[in-house]
PDB file of all heavy atoms in Angstrom:
ATOM      1  N   PHE A  41       1.693  -4.765  11.022  1.00 27.00           N
ATOM      2  CA  PHE A  41       2.780  -4.994  11.923  1.00 27.00           C
ATOM      3  C   PHE A  41       3.858  -5.610  11.012  1.00 27.00           C
ATOM      4  O   PHE A  41       3.727  -6.038   9.946  1.00 27.00           O
ATOM      5  CB  PHE A  41       2.522  -5.843  13.057  1.00 27.00           C
ATOM      6  CG  PHE A  41       1.921  -7.264  12.615  1.00 27.00           C
ATOM      7  CD1 PHE A  41       2.868  -8.236  12.348  1.00 27.00           C
ATOM      8  CD2 PHE A  41       0.565  -7.412  12.525  1.00 27.00           C
ATOM      9  CE1 PHE A  41       2.429  -9.465  11.957  1.00 27.00           C
ATOM     10  CE2 PHE A  41       0.150  -8.806  12.125  1.00 27.00           C
ATOM     11  CZ  PHE A  41       1.051  -9.824  11.818  1.00 27.00           C
ATOM     12  N   VAL A  42       4.976  -5.667  11.646  1.00 31.00           N
ATOM     13  CA  VAL A  42       6.278  -6.174  10.985  1.00 31.00           C
ATOM     14  C   VAL A  42       6.930  -7.101  12.015  1.00 31.00           C
ATOM     15  O   VAL A  42       7.075  -6.778  13.150  1.00 31.00           O
ATOM     16  CB  VAL A  42       7.273  -5.013  10.597  1.00 31.00           C
ATOM     17  CG1 VAL A  42       8.536  -5.585  10.057  1.00 31.00           C
ATOM     18  CG2 VAL A  42       6.575  -4.018   9.604  1.00 31.00           C
ATOM     19  N   ASN A  43       7.254  -8.252  11.516  1.00 31.00           N
ATOM     20  CA  ASN A  43       8.037  -9.164  12.334  1.00 31.00           C
ATOM     21  C   ASN A  43       9.536  -8.565  12.496  1.00 31.00           C
ATOM     22  O   ASN A  43      10.038  -8.242  11.537  1.00 31.00           O
ATOM     23  CB  ASN A  43       8.092 -10.573  11.829  1.00 31.00           C
ATOM     24  CG  ASN A  43       6.859 -11.201  11.835  1.00 31.00           C
ATOM     25  OD1 ASN A  43       6.043 -10.899  12.694  1.00 31.00           O
ATOM     26  ND2 ASN A  43       6.727 -12.259  10.906  1.00 31.00           N
ATOM     27  N   ALA A  44      10.072  -8.626  13.717  1.00 34.00           N
ATOM     28  CA  ALA A  44      11.394  -8.174  13.951  1.00 34.00           C
ATOM     29  C   ALA A  44      12.045  -8.945  14.931  1.00 34.00           C
ATOM     30  O   ALA A  44      11.537  -9.362  15.929  1.00 34.00           O
ATOM     31  CB  ALA A  44      11.275  -6.673  14.450  1.00 34.00           C
ATOM     32  N   PRO A  45      13.413  -9.357  14.592  1.00 35.00           N
ATOM     33  CA  PRO A  45      14.111 -10.095  15.666  1.00 35.00           C
ATOM     34  C   PRO A  45      14.435  -9.246  16.884  1.00 35.00           C
ATOM     35  O   PRO A  45      14.800  -8.131  16.740  1.00 35.00           O
ATOM     36  CB  PRO A  45      15.334 -10.592  14.837  1.00 35.00           C
ATOM     37  CG  PRO A  45      15.504  -9.592  13.720  1.00 35.00           C
ATOM     38  CD  PRO A  45      14.111  -9.091  13.431  1.00 35.00           C
ATOM     39  N   SER A  46      14.233  -9.857  17.916  1.00 36.00           N
ATOM     40  CA  SER A  46      14.690  -9.081  19.283  1.00 36.00           C
ATOM     41  C   SER A  46      16.046  -9.332  19.632  1.00 36.00           C
ATOM     42  O   SER A  46      16.778 -10.176  19.038  1.00 36.00           O
ATOM     43  CB  SER A  46      13.766  -9.480  20.404  1.00 36.00           C
ATOM     44  OG  SER A  46      13.890 -10.790  20.666  1.00 36.00           O
ATOM     45  N   ASP A  47      16.648  -8.901  20.676  1.00 42.00           N
ATOM     46  CA  ASP A  47      17.929  -9.093  21.181  1.00 42.00           C
ATOM     47  C   ASP A  47      18.153 -10.631  21.450  1.00 42.00           C
ATOM     48  O   ASP A  47      19.320 -11.048  21.192  1.00 42.00           O
ATOM     49  CB  ASP A  47      18.362  -8.345  22.418  1.00 42.00           C
ATOM     50  CG  ASP A  47      18.306  -6.779  22.120  1.00 42.00           C
ATOM     51  OD1 ASP A  47      18.515  -6.517  20.857  1.00 42.00           O
ATOM     52  OD2 ASP A  47      18.107  -6.065  23.126  1.00 42.00           O
ATOM     53  N   ASP A  48      17.033 -11.370  21.718  1.00 42.00           N
ATOM     54  CA  ASP A  48      17.287 -12.800  22.069  1.00 42.00           C
ATOM     55  C   ASP A  48      17.233 -13.633  20.822  1.00 42.00           C
ATOM     56  O   ASP A  48      17.261 -14.805  20.892  1.00 42.00           O
ATOM     57  CB  ASP A  48      16.206 -13.307  23.056  1.00 42.00           C
ATOM     58  CG  ASP A  48      14.893 -13.206  22.623  1.00 42.00           C
ATOM     59  OD1 ASP A  48      14.595 -12.809  21.588  1.00 42.00           O
ATOM     60  OD2 ASP A  48      13.954 -13.414  23.583  1.00 42.00           O
ATOM     61  N   GLY A  49      17.102 -12.922  19.686  1.00 42.00           N
ATOM     62  CA  GLY A  49      17.045 -13.721  18.370  1.00 42.00           C
ATOM     63  C   GLY A  49      15.739 -14.358  18.078  1.00 42.00           C
ATOM     64  O   GLY A  49      15.536 -14.802  16.890  1.00 42.00           O
ATOM     65  N   GLN A  50      14.754 -14.086  18.835  1.00 40.00           N
ATOM     66  CA  GLN A  50      13.425 -14.641  18.539  1.00 40.00           C
ATOM     67  C   GLN A  50      12.669 -13.506  17.776  1.00 40.00           C
ATOM     68  O   GLN A  50      12.903 -12.326  17.839  1.00 40.00           O
ATOM     69  CB  GLN A  50      12.741 -14.919  19.889  1.00 40.00           C
ATOM     70  CG  GLN A  50      13.387 -16.077  20.606  1.00 40.00           C
ATOM     71  CD  GLN A  50      13.263 -17.341  19.964  1.00 40.00           C
ATOM     72  OE1 GLN A  50      12.425 -17.818  19.436  1.00 40.00           O
ATOM     73  NE2 GLN A  50      14.563 -17.983  19.814  1.00 40.00           N
ATOM     74  N   MET A  51      11.607 -14.015  17.006  1.00 38.00           N
ATOM     75  CA  MET A  51      10.682 -13.044  16.326  1.00 38.00           C
ATOM     76  C   MET A  51       9.633 -12.652  17.296  1.00 38.00           C
ATOM     77  O   MET A  51       8.857 -13.548  17.789  1.00 38.00           O
ATOM     78  CB  MET A  51      10.174 -13.732  14.999  1.00 38.00           C
ATOM     79  CG  MET A  51      11.296 -14.058  13.996  1.00 38.00           C
ATOM     80  SD  MET A  51      12.328 -12.702  13.495  1.00 38.00           S
ATOM     81  CE  MET A  51      11.130 -11.907  12.269  1.00 38.00           C
ATOM     82  N   HIS A  52       9.435 -11.366  17.342  1.00 41.00           N
ATOM     83  CA  HIS A  52       8.304 -10.801  18.143  1.00 41.00           C
ATOM     84  C   HIS A  52       7.520  -9.806  17.296  1.00 41.00           C
ATOM     85  O   HIS A  52       8.065  -9.203  16.440  1.00 41.00           O
ATOM     86  CB  HIS A  52       8.909 -10.125  19.335  1.00 41.00           C
ATOM     87  CG  HIS A  52       9.564 -11.080  20.385  1.00 41.00           C
ATOM     88  ND1 HIS A  52       9.030 -11.934  21.279  1.00 41.00           N
ATOM     89  CD2 HIS A  52      10.918 -11.259  20.478  1.00 41.00           C
ATOM     90  CE1 HIS A  52       9.947 -12.576  21.918  1.00 41.00           C
ATOM     91  NE2 HIS A  52      11.096 -12.232  21.599  1.00 41.00           N
ATOM     92  N   LEU A  53       6.302  -9.751  17.639  1.00 39.00           N
ATOM     93  CA  LEU A  53       5.366  -8.826  16.865  1.00 39.00           C
ATOM     94  C   LEU A  53       5.443  -7.531  17.657  1.00 39.00           C
ATOM     95  O   LEU A  53       5.094  -7.391  18.899  1.00 39.00           O
ATOM     96  CB  LEU A  53       4.023  -9.327  16.863  1.00 39.00           C
ATOM     97  CG  LEU A  53       3.772 -10.645  16.191  1.00 39.00           C
ATOM     98  CD1 LEU A  53       2.438 -10.961  16.185  1.00 39.00           C
ATOM     99  CD2 LEU A  53       4.302 -10.447  14.755  1.00 39.00           C
ATOM    100  N   PRO A  54       5.732  -6.375  17.017  1.00 44.00           N
ATOM    101  CA  PRO A  54       5.766  -5.127  17.606  1.00 44.00           C
ATOM    102  C   PRO A  54       4.307  -4.636  17.825  1.00 44.00           C
ATOM    103  O   PRO A  54       3.364  -5.243  17.168  1.00 44.00           O
ATOM    104  CB  PRO A  54       6.486  -4.180  16.635  1.00 44.00           C
ATOM    105  CG  PRO A  54       6.382  -4.831  15.262  1.00 44.00           C
ATOM    106  CD  PRO A  54       6.286  -6.200  15.626  1.00 44.00           C
ATOM    107  N   ASP A  84       9.873  -7.798   2.417  1.00 83.00           N
ATOM    108  CA  ASP A  84      10.328  -8.505   3.595  1.00 83.00           C
ATOM    109  C   ASP A  84      10.184  -7.693   4.934  1.00 83.00           C
ATOM    110  O   ASP A  84      10.628  -7.982   5.974  1.00 83.00           O
ATOM    111  CB  ASP A  84      11.804  -8.912   3.500  1.00 83.00           C
ATOM    112  CG  ASP A  84      12.772  -7.795   3.437  1.00 83.00           C
ATOM    113  OD1 ASP A  84      12.420  -6.630   3.464  1.00 83.00           O
ATOM    114  OD2 ASP A  84      13.984  -8.060   3.363  1.00 83.00           O
ATOM    115  N   HIS A  85       9.342  -6.643   4.805  1.00 78.00           N
ATOM    116  CA  HIS A  85       8.889  -5.844   5.943  1.00 78.00           C
ATOM    117  C   HIS A  85      10.170  -5.243   6.869  1.00 78.00           C
ATOM    118  O   HIS A  85      10.042  -5.182   8.117  1.00 78.00           O
ATOM    119  CB  HIS A  85       8.071  -6.637   6.919  1.00 78.00           C
ATOM    120  CG  HIS A  85       6.842  -7.017   6.221  1.00 78.00           C
ATOM    121  ND1 HIS A  85       5.652  -7.442   6.854  1.00 78.00           N
ATOM    122  CD2 HIS A  85       6.322  -7.066   4.902  1.00 78.00           C
ATOM    123  CE1 HIS A  85       4.815  -7.718   6.062  1.00 78.00           C
ATOM    124  NE2 HIS A  85       5.195  -7.477   4.879  1.00 78.00           N
ATOM    125  N   THR A  86      11.283  -4.933   6.136  1.00 84.00           N
ATOM    126  CA  THR A  86      12.418  -4.367   6.845  1.00 84.00           C
ATOM    127  C   THR A  86      12.571  -2.825   6.621  1.00 84.00           C
ATOM    128  O   THR A  86      13.381  -2.212   7.243  1.00 84.00           O
ATOM    129  CB  THR A  86      13.709  -5.117   6.452  1.00 84.00           C
ATOM    130  OG1 THR A  86      13.847  -4.893   5.089  1.00 84.00           O
ATOM    131  CG2 THR A  86      13.678  -6.504   6.804  1.00 84.00           C
ATOM    132  N   ARG A  87      11.740  -2.283   5.847  1.00 88.00           N
ATOM    133  CA  ARG A  87      11.847  -0.821   5.456  1.00 88.00           C
ATOM    134  C   ARG A  87      10.562  -0.300   5.128  1.00 88.00           C
ATOM    135  O   ARG A  87       9.793  -0.945   4.327  1.00 88.00           O
ATOM    136  CB  ARG A  87      12.790  -0.724   4.178  1.00 88.00           C
ATOM    137  CG  ARG A  87      13.118   0.738   3.798  1.00 88.00           C
ATOM    138  CD  ARG A  87      13.952   0.926   2.708  1.00 88.00           C
ATOM    139  NE  ARG A  87      14.925  -0.232   2.422  1.00 88.00           N
ATOM    140  CZ  ARG A  87      14.833  -0.901   1.466  1.00 88.00           C
ATOM    141  NH1 ARG A  87      13.844  -1.023   0.565  1.00 88.00           N
ATOM    142  NH2 ARG A  87      15.798  -1.923   1.242  1.00 88.00           N
ATOM    143  N   GLN A 110      10.356   3.717  17.804  1.00 81.00           N
ATOM    144  CA  GLN A 110       9.334   2.800  18.193  1.00 81.00           C
ATOM    145  C   GLN A 110       9.240   1.612  17.249  1.00 81.00           C
ATOM    146  O   GLN A 110       8.499   0.714  17.511  1.00 81.00           O
ATOM    147  CB  GLN A 110       8.015   3.560  18.207  1.00 81.00           C
ATOM    148  CG  GLN A 110       7.949   4.793  19.082  1.00 81.00           C
ATOM    149  CD  GLN A 110       6.571   5.543  18.918  1.00 81.00           C
ATOM    150  OE1 GLN A 110       5.592   4.941  18.708  1.00 81.00           O
ATOM    151  NE2 GLN A 110       6.865   6.915  19.025  1.00 81.00           N
ATOM    152  N   VAL A 111       9.683   1.863  15.922  1.00 80.00           N
ATOM    153  CA  VAL A 111       9.427   0.874  14.927  1.00 80.00           C
ATOM    154  C   VAL A 111      10.672  -0.037  14.684  1.00 80.00           C
ATOM    155  O   VAL A 111      11.732   0.457  14.705  1.00 80.00           O
ATOM    156  CB  VAL A 111       8.921   1.487  13.591  1.00 80.00           C
ATOM    157  CG1 VAL A 111       7.551   2.189  13.808  1.00 80.00           C
ATOM    158  CG2 VAL A 111       9.965   2.614  13.094  1.00 80.00           C
ATOM    159  N   PRO A 112      10.368  -1.374  14.439  1.00 80.00           N
ATOM    160  CA  PRO A 112      11.638  -2.239  14.297  1.00 80.00           C
ATOM    161  C   PRO A 112      11.870  -2.379  12.772  1.00 80.00           C
ATOM    162  O   PRO A 112      12.298  -3.421  12.240  1.00 80.00           O
ATOM    163  CB  PRO A 112      10.932  -3.521  14.693  1.00 80.00           C
ATOM    164  CG  PRO A 112       9.563  -3.505  14.436  1.00 80.00           C
ATOM    165  CD  PRO A 112       9.181  -2.136  14.586  1.00 80.00           C
ATOM    166  N   PHE A 113      11.787  -1.246  12.007  1.00 83.00           N
ATOM    167  CA  PHE A 113      12.317  -1.253  10.702  1.00 83.00           C
ATOM    168  C   PHE A 113      12.865   0.118  10.216  1.00 83.00           C
ATOM    169  O   PHE A 113      12.778   0.988  11.040  1.00 83.00           O
ATOM    170  CB  PHE A 113      11.131  -1.642   9.552  1.00 83.00           C
ATOM    171  CG  PHE A 113       9.777  -0.875   9.896  1.00 83.00           C
ATOM    172  CD1 PHE A 113       9.756   0.517   9.452  1.00 83.00           C
ATOM    173  CD2 PHE A 113       8.764  -1.424  10.600  1.00 83.00           C
ATOM    174  CE1 PHE A 113       8.591   1.227   9.754  1.00 83.00           C
ATOM    175  CE2 PHE A 113       7.625  -0.657  10.907  1.00 83.00           C
ATOM    176  CZ  PHE A 113       7.507   0.693  10.361  1.00 83.00           C
ATOM    177  N   GLU A 114      13.461   0.089   9.217  1.00 89.00           N
ATOM    178  CA  GLU A 114      14.244   1.238   8.707  1.00 89.00           C
ATOM    179  C   GLU A 114      13.188   2.187   8.039  1.00 89.00           C
ATOM    180  O   GLU A 114      12.261   1.686   7.288  1.00 89.00           O
ATOM    181  CB  GLU A 114      15.338   1.019   7.635  1.00 89.00           C
ATOM    182  CG  GLU A 114      15.975   2.105   7.110  1.00 89.00           C
ATOM    183  CD  GLU A 114      17.068   1.677   6.043  1.00 89.00           C
ATOM    184  OE1 GLU A 114      17.023   0.607   5.579  1.00 89.00           O
ATOM    185  OE2 GLU A 114      17.937   2.548   5.732  1.00 89.00           O
TER     186      GLU A 114
END
Side-chain angles (χ1 to χ4, degrees):
F41 61 83
V42 175
N43 288 337
S46 68
D47 292 338
D48 63 6
Q50 300 297 313
M51 296 301 282
H52 297 280
L53 299 178
D84 65 358
H85 298 197
T86 57
R87 185 182 328 106
Q110 304 173 42
V111 294
F113 49 80
E114 180 183 18

